Amino acid sequence: MREIAQIIGFFGIAANLLIYQQKTQNRVLLFKLISDIIWAAHYFLLGAFSGAAVACIGILRESVFMISKKNREKWLVLFVCIAVGSAFLTWKNVFSLFPAAASVLSVVSFWQNKAKNTRLLAFPISLCMGIYSVTSGSLSGFVNEVLTVSSSAIGLFRERKFK
């Protein structure tokens, strides 16, 4: 089962590499949605339920942010509360807090209307999920976070260079 989870995780990596290269926030959200579907399956198969929970929260979050342009502040507060609650509902050890922290930062990140801010917040998000991935046995998750930071940095560089 762990091998299947890692293979699925490598498909998640492919989706994530494309997120921060998108030019519009809606395209960033679309690729993040696809990514979260894959990562939910990955972490669930590993039995890493804190990671699976925040990926599922992400699926809902991106769907709402893509569809609803109204009441964005209310959605922000709701998704932050859900993310914090997920840490308690899926508590295994102190590392269960890391996906929740990453999810809170992701809510703020994808709530933004600027792709640049989303790219900047990728760094602390990846730190949290990278630590969680190592402690939950997710090799593909850790590789993903290293590549996500690299992809985000390239996106930031590309944006700055072409302005």
Side-chain angles (χ1 to χ4, degrees), residues 9-80:
F10 284 105
F11 283 105
I13 291 171
N16 274 16
L17 287 174
L18 298 172
I19 292 171
Y20 298 104
Q21 301 310 310
Q22 304 307 308
K23 292 183 180 178
T24 67
Q25 187 66 0
N26 271 347
R27 297 230 358 129
V28 168
L29 289 169
L30 174 63
F31 279 85
K32 180 66 172 134
L33 173 67
I34 293 166
S35 169
D36 278 335
I37 292 168
I38 296 167
W39 288 110
H42 168 76
Y43 283 115
F44 181 77
L45 289 172
L46 284 177
F49 298 116
S50 294
V54 298
C56 289
I57 293 166
I59 293 166
L60 181 60
R61 175 188 65 226
E62 281 94 49
S63 298
V64 167
F65 286 165
M66 286 174 68
I67 295 168
S68 176
K69 302 300 180 195
K70 296 180 180 177
N71 299 317
R72 292 180 61 84
E73 289 77 17
K74 291 178 185 176
W75 287 117
L76 175 72
V77 171
L78 176 66
F79 284 120
V80 166

Side-chain angles (χ1 to χ4, degrees), residues 16 19-20 102 105-106 109-110 115-130 144-153 156:
N16 274 16
I19 292 171
Y20 298 104
L105 291 170
S106 288
S109 171
F110 291 103
K116 178 181 179 182
N117 294 343
T118 299
R119 289 183 190 105
L120 287 170
L121 284 168
F123 295 96
I125 293 166
S126 288
L127 178 62
C128 290
M129 287 307 296
N144 174 66
E145 299 311 327
V146 170
L147 293 174
T148 296
V149 166
S150 301
S151 178
S152 181
L156 287 166

